[in-house]
Amino acid sequence: MTKKFDEEMVKIAVIKSLHKNRYYNKRHTPIIHICKRLPKIPCKYIKKALKELKKEKIVTIKPTYHGADVCLNVKKKKEINQYLEKNNLNK
C-alpha cells in the first residue's frame, strides 16, 4: 500500500524546511540533507518537487564538488513569504 503524496504538500514542506534553516543564496545544503530532514516523504518526491521549484525560480541548484546543493532564491523572498503566509506556515 503506497501513499500518494500531493505535489503542493511536498513543495510546501521543502520550502518550509529551507526557510526555517535560512538557506538563501550563499548558504546552501545538499539535496540528501533535505531528504533526511523530511523522513516521511520519499526522496524521489522531494527531488521532483525541487525540479518544479527550480522551474518556478524559487529554488536555485548550485553544483559543488560533492554534488548538487539547494538554496532558496533571495530575489523571490517576497513570493516565498507570501506563499508561506498563504499556507499559514511562516513561523
Side-chain angles (χ1 to χ4, degrees), residues 22-29 60 62 70-75:
R22 295 183 184 96
Y23 286 115
Y24 288 94
N25 281 355
K26 297 264 181 182
R27 189 158 188 252
H28 42 83
T29 186
T60 57
K62 298 183 178 210
V70 178
C71 65
L72 292 169
N73 188 355
V74 76
K75 294 178 182 176

Side-chain angles (χ1 to χ4, degrees), residues 52-84:
E52 292 294 319
L53 290 169
K54 183 182 176 196
K55 286 180 186 176
E56 297 171 17
K57 297 183 181 179
I58 291 175
V59 166
T60 57
I61 297 177
K62 298 183 178 210
T64 60
Y65 69 92
H66 57 78
D69 279 7
V70 178
C71 65
L72 292 169
N73 188 355
V74 76
K75 294 178 182 176
K76 301 281 186 170
K77 190 170 183 176
K78 187 176 181 181
E79 292 175 20
I80 292 167
N81 286 334
Q82 288 174 351
Y83 193 79
L84 292 174

